[in-house]
Amino acid sequence: MSSTTGTARHDAAVSQDRTRRSLETKPAFKTTEFIAYVVAVLGVLIASLIVDGNGNGDNGAGGDYFRADRAWFYVVLLTIGYMASRGLAKAGSRDSADA
């Protein structure tokens, strides 16, 4: 009798695990917002590398208009935005308690 009850509990636990896995959102690296985030970060870092006051790629008398500290600040803002978008995606997914 106890083996039947144990089997029923095991089947219910396996069923819950399958339900949980199917209700999760996609992994972060498979989403379009991750690709957009990576492209935007690379764009900001490359732009800060090549932009200066003279417009010719070297640090002349005009000064650097897009300094590294400003570029990293923009990367931090992009990261916050990406994390917020993933949080919203996870908030919209169903949890096992909803079932």
Side-chain angles (χ1 to χ4, degrees):
M1 190 102 158
S2 64
S3 64
T4 305
T5 306
T7 303
R9 285 184 192 160
H10 175 71
D11 291 342
V14 169
S15 173
Q16 280 184 336
D17 285 343
R18 287 185 187 145
T19 303
R20 282 187 198 145
R21 279 190 230 129
S22 66
L23 296 177
E24 286 294 319
T25 59
K26 289 191 289 188
F29 64 89
K30 289 185 177 181
T31 61
T32 55
E33 68 246 13
F34 179 73
I35 295 167
Y37 167 73
V38 169
V39 169
V41 166
L42 289 175
V44 166
L45 294 177
I46 291 170
S48 77
L49 181 67
I50 63 173
V51 172
D52 69 356
N54 296 328
N56 60 8
D58 63 0
N59 291 329
D64 193 3
Y65 288 139
F66 194 27
R67 297 186 328 250
D69 61 337
R70 183 174 288 184
W72 283 108
F73 176 70
Y74 290 141
V75 169
V76 168
L77 292 179
L78 285 167
T79 302
I80 291 170
Y82 174 72
M83 291 172 71
S85 72
R86 288 302 299 163
L88 289 173
K90 291 285 186 179
S93 66
R94 294 178 53 194
D95 192 11
S96 62
D98 294 340

